[in-house]
């Protein structure tokens, strides 16, 4: 079960990487970054799982909780990723206002 | 002194600047300069006291859970670099940008705080968090003010590459956590050799890939020339002189701590990418028509040079790298500041049009010549000495091809700096339309000239040579 989660995470990451490398639309580039981030975060969250663990909320009632440390990392990383993506979208708006396109090939400085 | 002050002082200043702008607009320059001097002094103090090693855990947690901060000789020397480089860039940008753009100062101090944070972070997740604050503030610095389309595009490109690098870094960190359940660097150091080799190779690949993208080494260097050349001159100086050193510090730290004992294959890869960057950077620099792009490609080459020393993984190699980090900081900051003044005087971008500066600004041309000579490696200057140490380190390890690239790079860089100097010294039909005197920036250039001369004297003094070599003699984590 947990292997399925790891596998999904890496497949999402790979889809993101493929999109980033081979798509020429700026929005798709940002979606790719968001997908890659989602993949890594899914991986981190799955790391803390232990079989039959309950969510790490007090009181635990004598049950075994999952490791809360990766979840706190995920929260931090989500905030970071959100700021990255917000900034990227703001730049796309600026670029679109100037060039009237979001195609990488038609924007002078973004080729290569 | 707790190393957290190196992060806290610039961070508090960054938060106070908007308040200062709203309530005491007249006092904003005083607040900025006061904050900058405190942050700089704090950085120096932490560096001085942390020389023999401090490590603390914040908030009363155990080292496994809490936020660990550590300073040792390696981070202390990089702290000296930031405590010198940031105030110089701040003084110069106050002159270029004025006091109406308070947002710039907020971003600037955030960038300062996060760079210091990278240097004092004692666990790898905090390293990642500080890297992201560092990167976001760097993207914003590149596109400030957001009126230039070129800068916005460059910043977007930087963002895409930077986020890609950060995600690989995060992937590497999560694999490390998966393998060891630990994030504290001091604890991980002992756990790394026990990780099975295939896992270790994946972790090493992710961390190396992420950090190399963030440094701007060759296969992923496309963002660097755009970002460094389209920012405003003092910001270009800051980006090329100081900010680019933070990922290099992380490579040095993680490489020496984790991969030297556990995964020796890490270093030949580093050597390959370093040599590639060195060659391609110099070859691209000589083809550039615009002066700032030429300087930016030269930065790519110098990053490769610094990577060579790290890849040697010997005490001599690391010393040479650290020394070259300082050489490159002083020279490249100076080159970007002088080039910025020249560009503003002439309002042209091509090197061949930038004529007649020898009559007009003789001291700045002389300073440019000195910095260029130092970076190209003309004998008494510090660039020559660091390259000599690097050559010795390469020879010690038997790395012949990188050594040849290093020598070839010296010739090529001399050629492109001479091209620029030749244009500056050739007579012009019309004198440049003089815009501003730039007293403060000229003062910063004079300071950098003095600093490079002091750096050049350093290895000649009898005690400092020993001192330079002890910097790296395995004193990581006391």
């Amino acid at each position: 079960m947990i292997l399925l989660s790891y596998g999904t995470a890496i497949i999402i990451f790979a889809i993101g990487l493929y999109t980033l490398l081979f798509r020429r639309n700026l929005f798709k580039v940002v979606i790719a970054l968001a997908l890659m981030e989602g993949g890594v975060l899914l991986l981190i969250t799955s790391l803390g799982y232990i079989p039959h663990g309950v969510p790490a909320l007090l009181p635990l009632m004598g049950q075994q909780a999952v490791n809360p440390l990766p979840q706190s990392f995920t929260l931090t990383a989500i905030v970071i990723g959100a700021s990255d993506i917000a900034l990227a979208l703001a730049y796309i708006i600026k670029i679109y206002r100037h060039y009237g396109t979001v195609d990488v090939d038609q924007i002078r400085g973004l080729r290569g | 002194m707790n190393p957290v002050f190196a992060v806290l002082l610039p961070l508090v200043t960054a938060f106070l600047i908007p308040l200062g702008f709203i309530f005491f607009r007249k006092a904003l320059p005083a607040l900025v300069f006061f904050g900058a001097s405190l942050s700089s002094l704090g950085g120096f103090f932490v560096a001085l006291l942390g020389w023999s090693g401090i490590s603390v855990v914040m908030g009363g947690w155990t080292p496994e859970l809490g936020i660990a901060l550590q300073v040792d000789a390696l981070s202390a020397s990089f702290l000296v670099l930031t405590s010198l480089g940031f105030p110089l860039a701040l003084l110069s940008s106050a002159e270029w940008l004025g006091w109406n753009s308070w947002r710039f100062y907020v971003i600037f101090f955030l960038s300062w705080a996060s760079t210091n944070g990278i240097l004092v972070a004692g666990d790898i997740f905090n390293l990642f968090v500080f890297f992201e604050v560092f990167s976001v503030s760097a993207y914003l610095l590149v596109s400030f003010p957001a009126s230039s389309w070129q800068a916005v595009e460059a910043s977007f490109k930087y963002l895409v590459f930077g986020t890609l690098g950060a995600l690989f870094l995060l992937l590497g960190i999560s694999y490390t956590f998966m393998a060891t359940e630990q994030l504290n660097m001091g604890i991980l150091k002992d756990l790394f050799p026990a990780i099975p080799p295939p896992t270790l190779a994946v972790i090493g690949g992710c961390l190396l890939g992420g950090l190399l993208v963030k440094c701007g080494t060759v296969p992923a260097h496309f963002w660097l020339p755009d970002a460094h050349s389209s920012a405003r001159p003092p910001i270009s100086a800051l980006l090329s002189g100081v900010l680019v050193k933070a990922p290099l510090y992380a490579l040095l730290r993680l490489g020496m701590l984790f991969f030297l004992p556990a995964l020796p294959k890490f270093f030949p890869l580093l050597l390959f990418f370093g040599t590639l960057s060195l060659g391609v950077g110099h070859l691209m620099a000589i083809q550039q028509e615009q002066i700032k792009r030429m300087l930016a490609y030269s930065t790519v080459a110098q990053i490769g040079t610094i990577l060579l020393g790290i890849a040697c993984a010997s005490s001599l190699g690391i010393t040479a790298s650290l020394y070259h980090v300082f050489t490159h900081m002083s020279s490249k900051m100076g080159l970007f500041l002088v080039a910025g003044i020249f560009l503003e005087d002439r309002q042209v971008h091509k090197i061949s049009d930038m004529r007649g500066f020898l009559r007009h600004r003789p001291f700045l041309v002389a300073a440019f010549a000195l910095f260029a000579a130092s970076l190209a490696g003309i004998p008494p200057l510090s660039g020559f000495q660091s390259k000599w140490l690097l050559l010795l380190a390469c020879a010690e390890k038997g790395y012949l091809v990188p050594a040849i690239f290093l020598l070839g790079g010296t010739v090529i860089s001399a050629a492109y700096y001479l091209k620029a100097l030749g244009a500056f010294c050739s007579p012009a039909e019309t004198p440049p339309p003089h815009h501003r005197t730039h007293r403060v920036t000229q003062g910063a250039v004079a300071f950098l000239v003095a600093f490079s001369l002091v750096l050049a004297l350093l290895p000649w003094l009898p005690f400092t040579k020993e001192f330079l070599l002890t910097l790296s003699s395995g004193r990581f984590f006391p």
Side-chain angles (χ1 to χ4, degrees), chain B residues 27-40:
Chain B
L28 186 66
L31 174 70
V32 167
F33 285 131
F34 184 65
S37 358
L38 265 188
S39 313
S40 178

Side-chain angles (χ1 to χ4, degrees), chain A residues 73 84 91 94 98-99 109, chain B residues 132 143 149 153 155 178 183:
Chain A
F73 300 155
D84 267 345
Y91 283 143
K94 283 239 163 209
H98 186 64
Y99 289 102
Chain B
E132 279 310 278
S143 65
W149 296 110
E153 282 172 33
S155 190
M178 202 170 178
L183 289 169

Side-chain angles (χ1 to χ4, degrees), chain B residues 287-428:
Chain B
Q287 293 170 17
Q288 299 305 314
E289 300 266 297
Q290 296 178 16
I291 186 149
K292 283 181 85 178
R293 280 188 83 81
M294 182 187 95
L295 294 177
Y297 270 111
S298 153
T299 298
V300 174
Q302 300 297 338
I303 290 167
T305 313
I306 295 164
L307 286 181
L308 284 190
I310 304 176
C312 284
S314 59
S315 144
L316 189 62
I318 297 165
T319 307
S321 280
L322 270 178
Y323 190 54
H324 199 72
V325 162
F326 276 87
T327 306
H328 180 239
M329 187 275 259
S330 60
S331 310
K332 195 49 73 66
M333 277 189 95
L335 285 175
F336 266 115
L337 290 178
V338 175
I341 295 180
F342 285 177
L343 278 176
E344 205 196 44
D345 278 358
R346 270 285 184 209
Q347 302 287 350
V348 290
H349 286 286
K350 284 180 76 174
I351 296 173
S352 47
D353 294 336
M354 300 175 76
R355 295 158 162 275
F357 283 110
L358 187 61
R359 271 180 69 100
H360 215 70
R361 290 188 188 270
F363 293 111
L364 285 182
V365 173
F368 191 95
L370 180 91
F371 295 136
S374 173
L375 270 190
I378 307 295
L381 296 166
S382 57
F384 165 74
Q385 298 181 21
S386 55
K387 281 189 180 175
W388 179 250
L389 286 176
L390 272 174
L391 278 177
L392 285 181
C394 284
E396 194 183 67
K397 288 273 172 173
Y399 297 147
L400 192 61
V401 178
I404 293 172
F405 268 69
L406 199 59
L407 291 174
T410 299
V411 177
I412 302 175
S413 59
Y416 59 73
Y417 286 127
L418 278 177
K419 188 173 78 174
L421 277 172
F424 296 158
C425 294
S426 57

